[in-house]
Amino acid sequence: MFLSSTALSIVVRLRHRVSAQPPRAARAWLAAIVAVVGSAPSGAWALGPPSNDTCGTAIQISEGAFVGTNAGAGGDGAASCVPGGQPASPDVWWQYTASSTATALIETCGSDFDTVVNVFDACGGAELACDDDDDACGLDSRQSRIMFTAQQGGTYWVRVAGYSGEVGEIRLRIALLPPPANDDCADAPPVSEGTFFGTSLGASTDATASCGGVDLGSLRDVWWRYVPSGSGTAEIDTCGSGFDTVLSAYDSCGGAELACNDDEGQCGATGTQSRVIVPAVQGQPVWVRVAGFEGDAGSVTLTIVLSTVPASDRCVDAQVVGEGTFVGTNAAASTDDVASCGFDGEPGSRDVWWRYIPAFTGTALVATCSSAPDTIVSVLDDCGGAELACNDDSDACGDDSVQSLLYLPVSTGSPVLIRVAGYEGDTGTIRLYIGPPPGNDRCSAATPVAEGTHRGTNIGSDTDGLASCGAFGDAGAHDIWWRYTPTADGLATLETCASGFDTVLSAQAGCGGAELGCDEDSESCGPGSTRSRMQLPVRADMDYLVRVAGFAGEAGAADLAISLGPAATLCGDFTCNGGERWSGCPRDCRSLAEVAEFQLCFSHDGPLSDECRYLDLAPNGAIDLADFVRMMLGYSGP
């Protein structure tokens, strides 16, 4: 006699129970099974096929949950959704009769092996749907889910097989899904900007889209009617949805398609959600359709963001400015002119405008170095007038920068029009700098300063020095300079924490002199900071050249803060005026001012001066590392 499908299912469950036990317990389970099998008549436990092994012996069912197994089954069909159809894979069958007309959902979530599910209109008939693996059963699930339109009283043959011959326990669920309220375009609910939730489970197909492939490329759609609260550009996405979406927008039900996208690529972990951008006119509806790629369906998350037209969208509405840094955006901007300098003839689009009235006569620097989009900057003598200057990409904004920088002769009070556009329509936040080039571009022209906060920019500067501390050997570029004269002896703290770019900070003894200190990234400016901070022993009667450069050529607003602490005395790594960690502090500790003087003497070439001679502690006629070691140890003579 053969085992029934129920008994066979029990054996399959026992097998999995055994595999989950520790070795000793597993042996006990197996011994019990062998004892039971051994007590049966010969041949009584031969593994026979399940009762629903063939399409002709399919078990009749309606909606509900069912348990079975394909262990011991043969192969009585094939599937279009697996390589070669796998007709030899063990399969079992159910004959399903729908209780009403609706979308039927059939899934094997919870089964303990890799399943393949398909459904036919008859034994040996047409395949209506097929699925191998479906994430609706869980991320990276190996179980299956299909949906198809079932007619009331219609009979359908459901086949469940194992992928590549796998067998195990089957958990089959069949349900009829009611259509969503927004299943048809005519029933689309009105929405404005925001995030909206829904489902496409149970949805029919009410339209087509130009993207998402052919045939089954865009099915089971749901709809929203978006009414913009203002005019500009609307960005619509399905990021966060639970299935592979196809998103499209229309000017009416059955009207012209305005935009379409299948996979956005940067939307969610799988990148199978969608994003479109459409023009928006206040109060003018846009119909939004969310469908499933190849009929996929699930929870829908729809987000709509409106970017209004910038006030300076047209040249005639240009914002009036002088020198300074100005922030704007070209998101939702139109195109009011063209430029001559875009790479490969690209004239730029989505432009915004500034009307610049110079407060000086000379050369003005115009730059978008810290902007988000790939920019093209051009300058005109009037709206629709002659182009005076143009730039697309400038390395003065950083290595391989896609931002723009140009120099322009200007006269006090004579306005010019500045156009900033996006290369190939790129959009985002724009930071426009207008002003004279840095006056402290070279070490020889360093700005004299004392303690305090000193601001400037390295936008448009050359490179006039080097530094030792940049990561990967980067010495910094586009540097600017300050000549710092301390107001007293002490320990100076120099930092660029409030600067607008990745800085490399260094100090040296004179232009071209020895480097006295260097820092690139300092956690003192904040966790993960790319700004710089260092401390330097200084003397009031000496000058220190401070260089601020951009790592990898970065450029932007520079902020150099200098503060001065009181002089202390050094004893090895510890101070002699309290708090040292050892008691054997030498009798002749050196002051920070002496250390600062040593730094300058150490960098001096030629015969020793009277100011440096007393620091030759070795003595060997030179100020060198041996002298420094003796000084730091409090050595007072040979």
Side-chain angles (χ1 to χ4, degrees), residues 3-16 47-48 50 67-71 112 168-171:
L3 283 177
S4 68
S5 60
T6 302
L8 185 59
S9 177
I10 294 173
V11 172
V12 171
R13 294 187 194 184
L14 287 174
R15 182 198 64 182
H16 288 284
L47 294 181
V67 177
T69 180
N70 68 334
D112 65 0
E169 182 182 78
I170 297 169
R171 293 187 175 271

Side-chain angles (χ1 to χ4, degrees), residues 344-589:
D344 203 24
E346 163 64 27
S349 57
R350 298 190 181 276
D351 49 33
V352 286
W353 297 80
W354 283 266
R355 184 178 183 86
Y356 166 49
I357 303 177
F360 70 100
T361 296
T363 299
L365 172 66
V366 180
T368 60
C369 295
S370 299
S371 299
D374 185 344
T375 59
I376 299 176
V377 171
S378 55
V379 181
L380 289 74
D381 62 1
D382 202 352
C383 290
E387 185 180 80
L388 304 177
C390 187
N391 179 258
D392 179 8
D393 300 334
S394 174
D395 282 344
C397 289
D399 294 347
D400 301 320
S401 170
V402 294
Q403 279 74 52
S404 314
L405 182 147
L406 57 81
Y407 296 95
L408 180 74
V410 296
S411 298
T412 303
S414 299
V416 292
L417 276 300
I418 299 175
R419 173 186 184 257
V420 180
Y423 180 80
E424 293 187 344
D426 201 6
T427 62
T429 300
I430 294 169
R431 297 183 182 274
L432 177 68
Y433 172 82
I434 309 172
N440 57 343
D441 181 29
R442 308 195 69 78
C443 181
S444 59
T447 302
V449 294
E451 293 80 33
T453 299
H454 313 286
R455 295 182 172 87
T457 179
N458 70 332
I459 295 175
S461 68
D462 293 324
T463 302
D464 191 39
L466 298 172
S468 65
C469 60
F472 310 110
D474 190 297
H478 303 300
D479 49 29
I480 48 179
W481 298 79
W482 285 268
R483 181 180 294 273
Y484 168 47
T485 304
T487 56
D489 296 352
L491 184 66
T493 300
L494 296 85
E495 63 182 40
T496 61
C497 298
S499 295
F501 61 101
D502 188 344
T503 59
V504 178
L505 174 66
S506 58
Q508 59 192 56
C511 292
E515 184 180 87
L516 306 176
C518 188
D519 182 70
E520 187 208 335
D521 299 336
S522 174
E523 293 284 331
S524 298
C525 291
S529 173
T530 60
R531 310 307 186 256
S532 313
R533 187 178 188 272
M534 68 180 186
Q535 291 186 312
L536 191 71
V538 295
R539 284 182 51 168
D541 58 351
M542 297 182 182
D543 289 342
Y544 301 84
L545 274 299
V546 180
R547 174 184 185 260
V548 176
F551 178 76
E554 286 197 23
D559 186 293
L560 174 66
I562 305 176
S563 59
L564 184 62
T569 53
L570 294 180
C571 178
D573 290 333
F574 313 102
T575 59
C576 285
N577 49 351
E580 60 268 23
R581 284 183 284 173
W582 63 18
S583 58
C585 196
R587 66 183 183 280
D588 187 15
C589 288

Side-chain angles (χ1 to χ4, degrees), residues 114-148:
D114 190 346
T115 61
V116 178
V117 171
N118 48 345
V119 63
F120 299 85
D121 61 2
C123 285
E127 184 185 73
L128 304 179
C130 185
D131 181 67
D132 175 16
D133 300 332
D134 197 299
D135 283 345
C137 292
L139 188 62
D140 298 326
S141 170
R142 299 186 304 148
Q143 281 73 58
S144 315
R145 170 187 279 186
I146 58 174
M147 285 179 286
F148 67 100

Side-chain angles (χ1 to χ4, degrees), residues 204-262:
S204 60
T205 302
D206 194 38
T208 59
S210 64
C211 61
V214 297
D215 299 330
L216 296 178
S218 176
L219 302 173
R220 305 193 183 281
D221 49 34
V222 286
W223 296 80
W224 283 266
R225 180 165 60 91
Y226 165 52
V227 183
S229 63
S231 296
T233 298
E235 183 176 292
I236 307 171
D237 70 61
T238 60
C239 301
S241 296
F243 63 105
D244 188 345
T245 61
V246 178
L247 176 65
S248 50
Y250 305 83
D251 62 3
S252 63
C253 287
E257 184 183 84
L258 305 176
C260 188
N261 178 256
D262 177 13

